[in-house]
Amino acid sequence: ILHELTKAYPNYKFLYLVFNASLKKQAEETFIDGNTEVKTIHSFALSYTKDTLNLFRRKNGLENGLQVHQIQNSLKIKNYKHANLLRSIFAAFCHSEYSTFNDDTVGLLLDDDRELKIDFATEGIKPSKIVMYMKTLWQLIELDKLPITHDFYLKFFQLNIDMYKDKIKYDVLLLDEAQDSNNVTCSIFKNCTGKKVFVGDQYQSCYRFRKAVNILKKMDADAELFLTTTFRFGNNIAEKANFILHNILGEEHKIKTLPGIKLLIEDKTACYITRTNATLIKELDRLSSCGKIAKTIRKPKDIFSMPLSLYYFLLDKYKYKKEITEKRLWQFKSKADIKDYADAIGDMELLVSLK
């Protein structure tokens, strides 16, 4: 649908924002008419903030996220759980639409995340102290005392969007998979100039465990259109889906199918989706013991990075230094240290890797 829209307006310049790199690659194979740029929300933000943040001349560079030991060292905190809580709150702020960090912001972030609220109540850190820690972390990243994270530069872009508005020159912005977005993306999208079109399916939200938010409910639109015809399955599945959607979820719009779609598609393959790599490893082991062939979408060396790094670290960390790709292991002195840390913050990837 979005591709047809860009074809219908060949003189418009479109920006198509997608969730991740794999969707970007897929979209680039479709949007080949020359009037559409395809970017992830992070690459969009990075293209404008990299010079402001002096990103490629920084000593500490760019990392996926702050590690517990980095927070401990920079804030002089000994307690694993306290540092992990601060890491989670910092990430929550970066994912939020809030523009300032104060006691009220802490309360709003906790109200938005039940698990975070429970952890906060357990650890008993005062909101005023959390505010002090958060501001210190932000300053340390800006001063190149800590690495910049993807969450940080996205939040920086949102907070300073007025600085970049005149440089963002698109006639129309398109946002896909809006049901699996977040509030900081919603804020950026709303505050950019140009017409906006966002697409999503609230019933296909599958990243809530990553704190994804359905921003379809947060965006005011001049028009709302429903795509109800599918080519993916036949009437037998559509009837069951309509029954569930209507009777359980209250959906009034019914799914329709295209004529000629087979009622049953025979397929002997199966897809396994797991929340963690540790669970994926368990499933691969089970399938292997049953004599079944399994393939992974990501490279095995990426999936098995933690267990392999841990194996070489415990075997002889100095001899196999090059094999240890998980750099955070170097903060530990022994297997007991690793287990204490993993138990304290509930790091399932480490705990399963230890087994």
Side-chain angles (χ1 to χ4, degrees):
I1 294 298
L2 293 179
H3 184 215
E4 293 301 319
L5 177 64
T6 62
K7 287 166 61 178
Y9 295 92
N11 295 324
Y12 279 25
K13 185 178 181 182
F14 290 87
L15 172 65
Y16 180 36
L17 293 172
V18 295
F19 179 69
N20 56 35
S22 61
L23 289 175
K24 177 178 180 290
K25 184 178 179 182
Q26 181 182 340
E28 285 173 335
E29 295 172 356
T30 302
F31 292 84
I32 56 175
D33 304 297
N35 65 335
T36 306
E37 287 185 43
V38 182
K39 294 183 179 182
T40 66
I41 184 64
H42 282 90
S43 65
F44 176 49
L46 187 61
S47 65
Y48 293 99
T49 60
K50 61 185 179 183
D51 292 333
T52 312
L53 293 171
N54 205 23
L55 183 59
F56 300 111
R57 291 184 291 275
R58 288 171 57 93
K59 179 181 67 175
N60 282 292
L62 175 66
E63 292 186 7
N64 287 331
L66 292 177
Q67 300 296 328
V68 171
H69 75 276
Q70 291 173 324
I71 293 175
Q72 284 185 287
N73 294 338
S74 59
L75 299 179
K76 305 294 187 285
I77 297 173
K78 294 183 179 180
N79 189 305
Y80 287 142
K81 289 186 177 180
H82 285 188
N84 189 52
L85 175 64
L86 294 173
R87 179 179 66 165
S88 298
I89 292 176
F90 189 80
F93 173 67
C94 288
H95 295 158
S96 76
E97 72 272 36
Y98 308 127
S99 57
T100 57
F101 206 102
N102 52 38
D103 288 13
D104 291 337
T105 310
V106 175
L108 291 168
L109 292 172
L110 297 177
D111 287 341
D112 289 341
D113 190 326
R114 183 173 175 273
E115 291 182 11
L116 199 58
K117 195 168 189 175
I118 293 171
D119 290 341
F120 170 77
T122 303
E123 296 309 310
I125 307 177
K126 292 181 179 180
S128 57
K129 200 161 188 177
I130 289 177
V131 171
M132 179 192 72
Y133 283 140
M134 293 300 102
K135 289 182 176 180
T136 302
L137 286 176
W138 190 274
Q139 290 170 355
L140 289 173
I141 293 174
E142 288 190 318
L143 293 170
D144 198 13
K145 303 295 184 182
L146 283 172
I148 278 183
T149 67
H150 296 290
D151 288 342
F152 179 89
Y153 68 69
L154 187 63
K155 185 65 179 179
F156 183 91
F157 186 50
Q158 180 245 342
L159 294 176
N160 297 280
I161 192 71
D162 289 340
M163 185 192 308
Y164 305 107
K165 269 186 179 179
D166 292 340
K167 299 177 183 179
I168 303 172
K169 297 184 178 180
Y170 298 96
D171 298 304
V172 185
L173 281 77
L174 311 172
L175 178 65
D176 206 355
E177 305 293 347
Q179 80 282 352
D180 277 324
S181 189
N182 54 39
N183 288 320
V184 69
T185 299
C186 180
S187 176
I188 292 169
F189 192 68
K190 286 197 295 187
N191 286 295
C192 286
T193 55
K195 295 179 174 65
K196 287 118 182 166
V197 178
F198 48 101
V199 178
D201 183 347
Q202 62 178 324
Y203 304 118
Q204 292 191 40
S205 180
C206 55
Y207 285 103
R208 289 181 185 173
F209 68 91
R210 288 185 181 173
K211 315 301 182 187
V213 174
N214 177 18
I215 66 171
L216 291 168
K217 297 179 179 179
K218 293 176 172 283
M219 303 286 276
D220 295 325
D222 296 325
E224 186 177 18
L225 306 174
F226 293 88
L227 305 177
T228 55
T229 303
T230 181
F231 61 87
R232 298 181 185 276
F233 46 77
N235 282 327
N236 61 332
I237 294 177
E239 288 173 1
K240 292 180 175 62
N242 283 328
F243 178 84
I244 293 170
L245 291 171
H246 176 70
N247 291 286
I248 297 177
L249 300 175
E251 179 57 60
E252 296 298 329
H253 299 86
K254 290 188 176 181
I255 301 171
K256 302 173 185 177
T257 60
L258 290 173
I261 299 293
K262 292 182 180 179
L263 294 182
L264 181 63
I265 300 175
E266 293 185 5
D267 195 338
K268 296 181 180 179
T269 62
C271 174
Y272 292 86
I273 302 174
T274 64
R275 179 171 174 177
T276 64
N277 290 337
T279 307
L280 179 60
I281 293 170
K282 280 187 173 181
E283 193 58 37
L284 288 171
D285 184 55
R286 184 187 70 80
L287 291 170
S288 177
S289 65
C290 297
K292 295 183 179 180
I293 298 174
K295 295 181 180 179
T296 59
I297 295 176
R298 291 175 61 202
K299 295 178 181 179
K301 68 176 183 179
D302 294 333
I303 296 173
F304 304 133
S305 175
M306 177 55 75
L308 287 173
S309 292
L310 188 58
Y311 170 77
Y312 287 116
F313 185 85
L314 297 175
L315 185 64
D316 190 330
K317 60 186 178 184
Y318 297 110
K319 182 177 180 180
Y320 298 104
K321 186 176 181 179
K322 291 183 179 180
E323 307 296 332
I324 303 169
T325 56
E326 295 288 338
K327 302 304 180 187
R328 63 184 174 126
L329 291 177
W330 290 97
Q331 67 179 294
F332 304 110
K333 295 180 180 179
S334 66
K335 183 177 180 180
D337 276 350
I338 298 173
K339 189 173 187 311
D340 287 345
Y341 166 84
D343 283 333
I345 71 166
D347 191 323
M348 292 306 299
E349 186 178 23
L350 265 178
L351 288 171
V352 174
S353 298
L354 281 168
K355 292 180 180 179

